[in-house]
Amino acid sequence: MTGRTGPAAFRSDGRGRAGGLLAVLLAAILPALLLTATGARAESPSAADPKPVVTLSEKQAGKGGEITVKGKGWRPDTLLMMLICGQSTPARGVIGGTNSCANADGRAVTTDKKGAFAKKLPVAEPPAPCPCVVHVATVTGEQALADAVFVVAGHPVAALPKQTGDGKLAVLAATRLEGDSGILTWFGAPPSRRLVFTVGNLGSAAVKDPVFLVGTAHGVYSTQWEEQQWRGTVEPGRKARIELPVELTAGAHGDYQISLKYGTKVLAEQPWGVGRPWGVTLFWILLCLVVPAAVFRIGMAIVDKVRPRPAHAGGRRRQRSSPRAGVTVRFPKLRRAPAPAVGPAPPASTTTTAALPWFTPDSAPSEHRPTTKGHS
């Protein structure tokens, strides 16, 4: 056989050399890429989601004292709540929820850019006996918590309730929101409902006074979780109907998402459409109409009070307001005597006088009328 020559042979030889060079490069780079990826996977959990830690300045203090709580490993710029809780250990957590904590003496703190904080906390006696812990948990966003052992000097101590087994609750029926909004909700009062659901105990131990987390989410905001404790016991293999109150903030409206969580598992989610409080809108519309009208009327009354008045108008007002304005004195009119119809004109020196009111023209004395005494 004769070997191929020319351009075809050159192309075949070039492809072989390129393929060999690519294989050598991959063999050299691939181990470095695998080491980099393995290191990134090994470091990513601790760097992205560090475990929160809480330390105390003192392990024991009496009521009325003060300790400094420090933390690190939390999410940056996160709001936390610090409480002293009884009947709790870091291993078992806060038994009974925040009902066993001194909620009135709790403190809020916000982490810095590195996820650390330092805050003073007053020492108070929790409603439940010790063992006690300083409980730190997130208020908003994804739930995270940490506990540190603390002893309240002089506070009673009691053994923790025994664990008889593992209870496991599951929702057996669809959740629903019951209740109606009153007339006050139309004017901005907080909307409230009852979250009703049925749970069954699938575990081997009874669940007594379970603590649920009820979350409220609206739009792009993170879920706000609130602890709700149900008083009762769910025996193994039994079910129970549970009602938990749900309340929104004043003036809330729009689409909300209600979530139910037990432990670390979300059991159910329920949408809730809240109508707009149109009474508040109507109130502001009326306020915008009534206030300008009232100001206008007050202004016009002031202008009418201070503006100058014409003189004749003032005279007529004074005359009308006088108590003697209605009293009028009428005098009799004076009338002249009629001139004689026939006869010579009276002398120039003779003047006619006006007839007195008690004389009539016919009865007045005349120079042409004879008298009883005769003529002169």
Side-chain angles (χ1 to χ4, degrees):
M1 294 178 63
T2 59
R4 290 183 298 177
T5 60
F10 177 78
R11 288 195 298 269
S12 176
D13 189 15
R15 290 175 182 174
R17 291 179 180 178
L21 181 59
L22 182 60
V24 173
L25 291 176
L26 288 177
I29 296 175
L30 187 58
L33 293 177
L34 291 176
L35 290 175
T36 303
T38 304
R41 286 195 302 268
E43 294 178 0
S44 59
S46 59
D49 190 14
K51 185 178 180 180
V53 178
V54 173
T55 57
L56 307 178
S57 60
E58 297 181 16
K59 297 295 184 181
Q60 179 177 350
K63 180 182 178 181
E66 196 175 52
I67 60 174
T68 301
V69 183
K70 296 182 180 180
K72 61 181 181 179
W74 300 84
R75 294 194 309 271
D77 300 326
T78 302
L79 181 62
L80 307 176
M81 177 60 70
M82 304 186 303
L83 299 170
I84 296 179
C85 303
Q87 199 175 359
S88 307
T89 60
R92 295 188 58 180
V94 180
I95 301 175
T98 55
N99 292 331
S100 61
C101 303
N103 297 314
D105 297 295
R107 292 294 183 269
V109 63
T110 303
T111 59
D112 56 14
K113 299 296 183 181
K114 298 180 180 180
F117 70 90
K119 182 79 172 182
K120 292 185 178 298
L121 178 66
V123 179
E125 293 185 350
C130 285
C132 301
V133 297
V134 174
H135 179 69
V136 182
T138 55
V139 178
T140 59
E142 184 180 356
Q143 187 182 19
L145 55 90
D147 298 327
V149 177
F150 182 71
V151 177
V152 181
H155 192 63
V157 180
L160 296 178
K162 296 181 180 181
Q163 291 180 328
T164 57
D166 295 330
K168 185 177 181 181
L169 296 181
V171 175
L172 303 181
T175 59
R176 62 185 183 275
L177 293 172
E178 294 184 354
D180 297 324
S181 299
I183 187 64
L184 295 179
T185 307
W186 202 66
F187 289 94
S192 60
R193 292 289 190 275
R194 297 189 311 273
L195 182 63
V196 181
F197 56 96
T198 302
V199 297
N201 189 355
L202 306 181
S204 58
V207 178
K208 182 180 180 180
D209 298 338
V211 178
F212 297 92
L213 292 176
V214 179
T216 304
H218 177 57
V220 297
Y221 297 100
S222 59
T223 304
Q224 307 291 326
W225 296 98
E226 181 182 0
E227 290 184 347
Q228 297 282 353
Q229 186 175 21
W230 180 73
R231 297 292 182 178
T233 303
V234 184
E235 299 293 338
R238 299 299 183 93
K239 61 181 181 180
R241 185 176 184 269
I242 298 177
E243 297 183 5
L244 299 177
V246 180
E247 183 175 292
L248 304 180
T249 58
H253 62 277
D255 295 329
Y256 285 80
Q257 186 79 11
I258 308 301
S259 303
L260 178 67
K261 181 189 291 187
Y262 180 70
T264 59
K265 182 180 179 182
V266 178
L267 301 180
E269 293 182 345
Q270 178 69 30
W272 183 10
V274 184
R276 182 180 294 273
W278 291 107
V280 179
T281 306
L282 180 61
F283 169 77
W284 285 110
I285 292 175
L286 293 178
L287 188 64
C288 293
L289 294 177
V290 171
V291 171
V295 173
F296 175 77
R297 289 182 64 87
I298 294 173
M300 293 303 296
I302 294 175
V303 170
D304 185 69
K305 191 73 175 177
V306 301
R307 68 177 179 178
R309 300 290 183 178
H312 60 85
R316 285 201 300 270
R317 176 175 295 181
R318 287 193 297 270
Q319 182 178 1
R320 190 178 300 113
S321 61
S322 176
R324 301 177 181 179
V327 180
T328 304
V329 179
R330 296 183 179 275
F331 293 97
K333 295 183 179 181
L334 300 180
R335 293 180 294 180
R336 294 180 180 274
V342 179
S349 60
T350 306
T351 59
T352 60
T353 60
L356 295 176
W358 52 84
F359 289 105
T360 60
D362 295 339
S363 62
S366 176
E367 60 182 5
H368 300 286
R369 182 176 296 176
T371 61
T372 57
K373 295 182 178 181
H375 295 281
S376 60

